[in-house]
Amino acid sequence: VGLEPRGRLFALDALDGEPLWSVHLADDLGANRPNYGFASSPLVVGDTQILNGGDQAGTVIGVDLRTGAVRWRVGTEPVAAQSPVLMTLDERQLVVSAGERSVFGIDPVDGELVWQYEHGGRGPRGAGSMVPVEAGADRVFLTHSGDSSQLVEVAEEGGALVGRMAWDQRTLRSSYVPVVYHDGYLYGYNL
C-alpha cells in the first residue's frame, strides 16, 4: 500500500507487483492537495488502512485494505504532513490523528469519533507536521506549534472521553520530527 505526493493511494500484489486498486484523494474523494503534496504515512489496523486526506475527503479516512473503498471519514479539516497513530486510551485502542485545528480519537473499526480536542496549533513545523505521541497512561503529547508543545490528558467526563490540556510549554518545539516517549520522559530536539 502506498500514497503518492499527488494523491494516488494504491495497493500492489506483494508476489508480482501488479496493481490491486487505486483511488485518488483529490480527484475521487475531494481532498485539496497540501502545499508540499500528500505526506501521510498510512496505518493499517486489521483490514482497514487509515490515513489523513483532508477537507471533503475526510481529515482522517479509513479505507478497505482489499478494495480501496472508503469505509469511514472523520472531520473536514485541511491537513499537511500529519499521520495517524494507534494508541491505548481509557483502555481502548484508538487511532489518534491531527488536522489543522483538532486532534481526533477514532475507533479504527467503524470510524466512530470517540473524542476531539482543539489543539490551537499553527505552522508547518507545528500543526502541519504534528504526529501525536502516546505519553503514558491516557496522555497525548502534541508539537502543535512552532513555538510550543502541549500535553493533553484524555479522561471520561459525563460518560464521554474528552481531552484537556495538562500543560503548554516551549521546551520542545519547531520540529518536523516526532518526539519519543520512554519511561516517563519525552526525547526530542528543536530546530
Side-chain angles (χ1 to χ4, degrees):
V1 177
L3 175 64
E4 295 176 340
R6 295 194 188 278
R8 186 174 72 102
L9 178 67
F10 61 91
L12 303 176
D13 187 310
L15 295 176
D16 59 17
E18 287 297 312
L20 298 174
W21 56 260
S22 76
V23 62
H24 200 280
L25 297 181
D27 296 346
D28 299 332
L29 302 181
N32 289 318
R33 185 175 174 265
N35 192 35
Y36 295 108
F38 290 95
S40 181
S41 296
L43 170 70
V44 175
V45 180
D47 59 356
T48 303
Q49 176 181 329
I50 302 160
L51 70 152
N52 285 36
D55 309 300
Q56 298 310 306
T59 304
V60 188
I61 310 166
V63 176
D64 186 295
L65 199 56
R66 293 177 303 271
T67 67
V70 174
R71 289 186 166 169
W72 50 260
R73 306 172 196 223
V74 173
T76 57
E77 296 181 16
V79 299
Q82 302 96 329
S83 293
V85 294
L86 191 62
M87 294 185 187
T88 301
L89 298 169
D90 195 46
E91 300 179 8
R92 184 175 177 183
Q93 272 204 324
L94 298 174
V95 169
V96 179
S97 196
E100 186 176 271
R101 297 176 300 277
S102 303
V103 63
F104 304 91
I106 304 163
D107 185 306
V109 175
D110 60 11
E112 173 196 359
L113 177 61
V114 177
W115 63 275
Q116 181 175 350
Y117 171 78
E118 290 191 27
H119 54 68
R122 61 199 171 280
R125 287 185 278 175
S129 61
M130 180 172 37
V131 176
V133 174
E134 189 169 1
D138 300 329
R139 300 183 318 164
V140 180
F141 178 77
L142 307 171
T143 50
H144 72 298
S145 142
D147 58 8
S148 69
S149 56
Q150 289 182 0
L151 186 75
V152 176
E153 294 177 334
V154 178
E156 188 175 324
E157 185 177 288
L161 288 183
V162 297
R164 284 191 296 272
M165 181 174 48
W167 50 256
D168 187 315
Q169 54 81 30
R170 298 177 48 85
T171 305
L172 287 171
R173 63 190 187 282
S174 296
S175 178
Y176 290 113
V177 180
V179 302
V180 174
Y181 173 81
H182 181 70
D183 285 342
Y185 294 94
L186 292 162
Y187 298 89
Y189 72 93
N190 301 321
L191 294 179

